[in-house]
Amino acid sequence: MAEELALLVADVFEAAGALRRAGEALAGAEGQTQARWQLMSVVSEESLPVARAARRLGVARQGVQRIANELVRDGLAEFRDNPDHRTSSLLALTPSGRRALEAITARAEAAHRAMGEGIAQADLATLRALLRRLTEQTDQWAEAEAEAEAEAGTGAEAGGAKRGTRSRAAADRQPE
């Protein structure tokens, strides 16, 4: 079991690399980067504070802030007042940002049809369910390990543990 899981982890990393390269090419064809595409996508449904967008993406807030500033500078997004928090503006797409996102999304849909050719929809659904389950179990394991280290005095407070990143699902459960 452990050996198969280790091989799966290697396969997931390899697939993630291939998908990142494809994503960069798709976004690049529209004059964007994959990071900009991801951030535009995250704030396309609702305006979000940069910190919350970063948690959803599972990346550092500072990097997302830099990309948000670039999107605003380029007229693809804007900062709006946050009625819930005076010092934490909301990032929202502008009409130009929505058009850019729609163009990238259209390219991605065509690419996904080509990439998924010959793979049954049921197989993709099963794979997604298994990956979500593995992600949740990995998060649970990491949380239990961190708690055990903290109890043993080897946690971050003692300088012994590094903080890990959490999945999007876990990050979405975090309060503002």
Side-chain angles (χ1 to χ4, degrees), residues 116-127:
E117 194 169 315
I119 301 174
Q121 189 168 348
D123 289 343
L124 289 173
T126 299
L127 179 57

Side-chain angles (χ1 to χ4, degrees), residues 18-34:
L19 291 168
R20 267 193 303 280
R21 290 187 299 277
E24 281 295 342
L26 290 166
E30 296 297 331
Q32 302 301 321
T33 64
Q34 183 171 359

Side-chain angles (χ1 to χ4, degrees), residues 149-174:
E149 287 178 2
E151 288 175 9
T154 60
E157 308 81 43
K162 294 181 182 176
R163 293 183 59 183
T165 58
R166 298 174 58 128
S167 72
R168 177 179 172 183
D172 283 346
R173 290 192 300 268
Q174 295 297 309

Side-chain angles (χ1 to χ4, degrees), residues 90-144:
L90 299 173
L91 182 66
L93 290 183
T94 63
S96 295
R98 289 203 179 281
R99 285 191 297 276
L101 179 60
E102 288 167 3
I104 298 168
T105 300
R107 285 183 183 276
E109 287 172 358
H112 293 159
R113 281 192 295 279
M115 289 176 206
E117 194 169 315
I119 301 174
Q121 189 168 348
D123 289 343
L124 289 173
T126 299
L127 179 57
R128 286 188 64 227
L130 287 170
L131 284 173
R132 285 191 307 270
R133 181 176 170 194
L134 178 60
T135 299
E136 183 65 30
Q137 288 181 204
T138 301
D139 285 342
Q140 290 171 359
W141 173 86
E143 288 171 14

